[in-house]
């Protein structure tokens, strides 16, 4: 009984050690596409992955953000302008990615572009505020993911969605409010 337990615990740690020692290799052949690289976490991630040796395809909302990022890195990081609320913009960026990755596909897709909820009392918010948030943080992410999925599959790649509980919490709060009033 105790021996069984000891063997199980041993196996568990062996498995954990094996998983932790696995590292990603051939970074110079791996393309990672990151949205929202003008500022914040996306900008930081783009520069970090570039430093580690990945091929970074960074999207920015503004040309100024893109130029600044290119200035700070090498030609292993390329930029494209992308507004994730615009279907044509997503289609153009997808073509741009295809040209670069070719048969290798996209190893990583990081959906990072997003906006935050205005920090005002709920009473001051309008339906338009919520629509804008959902348009960027939800529908934008879905359309980018759908558009790039074939390339991600080709590389048996990974998708990372960076999101916020902010809008969710606010929406729940609204619903709760309505219920209380009923
Ligand atoms: N920072 C935090 O502490 C925190 C905590 C919880 C959740 N979050 C959530 O995480 C997300 C990002 O956080 P962050 O601090 O890194 O934010 P950030 O600095 O505002 O970065 C968001 C990025 O997305 C870009 N963007 C906005 N709208 C876009 C659109 N329609 N198409 C393409 N790109 C667009 C922004 O470009 P511009 O700069 O040109 O506008 C910016 O580069 C947000 O959804 C936020 O709510 C953040
Ligand atoms: C990028 O570098 C060029 C040349 O050094 C400089 O003229 C330009 O102002 C820089 N752009 C930004 C946004 O920092
Ligand atoms: C990221 O979001 C897309 C679009 O909603 C979805 O298809 C995908 O499953 C999500 N990926 C993860 C890891 O949550």
């Amino acid at each position: 009984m105790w021996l069984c337990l000891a063997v199980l615990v041993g196996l568990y740690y062996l498995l954990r050690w094996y998983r932790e020692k696995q590292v990603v290799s051939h970074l110079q052949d791996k393309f990672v596409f990151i949205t929202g690289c003008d500022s914040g976490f996306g900008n930081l991630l783009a520069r970090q992955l570039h430093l580690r040796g990945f091929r970074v395809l960074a999207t920015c909302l503004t040309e100024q953000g893109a130029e600044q990022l290119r200035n700070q890195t090498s030609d292993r990081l390329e930029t494209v302008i992308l507004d994730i609320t615009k279907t044509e913009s997503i289609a153009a960026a997808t073509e741009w990615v295809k040209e670069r990755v070719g048969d290798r596909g996209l190893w990583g897709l990081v959906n990072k572009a997003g906006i935050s909820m205005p920090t005002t009392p709920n009473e001051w918010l309008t339906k338009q505020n919520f629509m804008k948030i959902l348009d960027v943080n939800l529908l934008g992410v879905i359309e980018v993911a759908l558009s790039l999925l074939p390339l991600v599959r080709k590389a048996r790649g990974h998708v990372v969605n960076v999101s916020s509980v902010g809008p969710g919490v606010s929406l729940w709060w609204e619903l709760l409010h309505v219920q209380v009033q009923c």
Side-chain angles (χ1 to χ4, degrees), residues 35-43 59-62 65 81-86 89 111-117 132-133 135-137 140 144 162-167:
T35 64
C37 295
D38 302 71
S39 61
F41 184 70
N43 184 279
T59 88
C60 293
L61 197 52
T62 66
I81 302 298
L82 170 66
D83 181 341
I84 64 168
T85 62
K86 305 234 158 66
S89 182
N111 283 308
K112 161 54 206 34
I115 53 175
S116 323
M117 204 68 186
K132 177 94 183 101
I133 301 264
D135 198 25
V136 181
N137 293 8
V144 169
V162 181
S163 190
S164 172
V165 293

Side-chain angles (χ1 to χ4, degrees), residues 107-168:
W107 186 81
L109 159 62
V110 183
N111 283 308
K112 161 54 206 34
I115 53 175
S116 323
M117 204 68 186
T119 46
T120 54
N122 279 303
E123 284 78 358
W124 297 0
L125 296 173
T126 63
K127 182 181 168 191
Q128 268 62 39
N129 291 129
F130 285 92
M131 281 167 63
K132 177 94 183 101
I133 301 264
L134 293 178
D135 198 25
V136 181
N137 293 8
L138 182 66
L139 297 178
V141 170
I142 291 175
E143 200 174 0
V144 169
L146 288 179
S147 187
L148 289 170
L149 206 56
L151 294 175
V152 176
R153 285 212 196 282
K154 202 175 261 177
R156 297 176 56 98
H158 310 261
V159 179
V160 176
N161 296 326
V162 181
S163 190
S164 172
V165 293

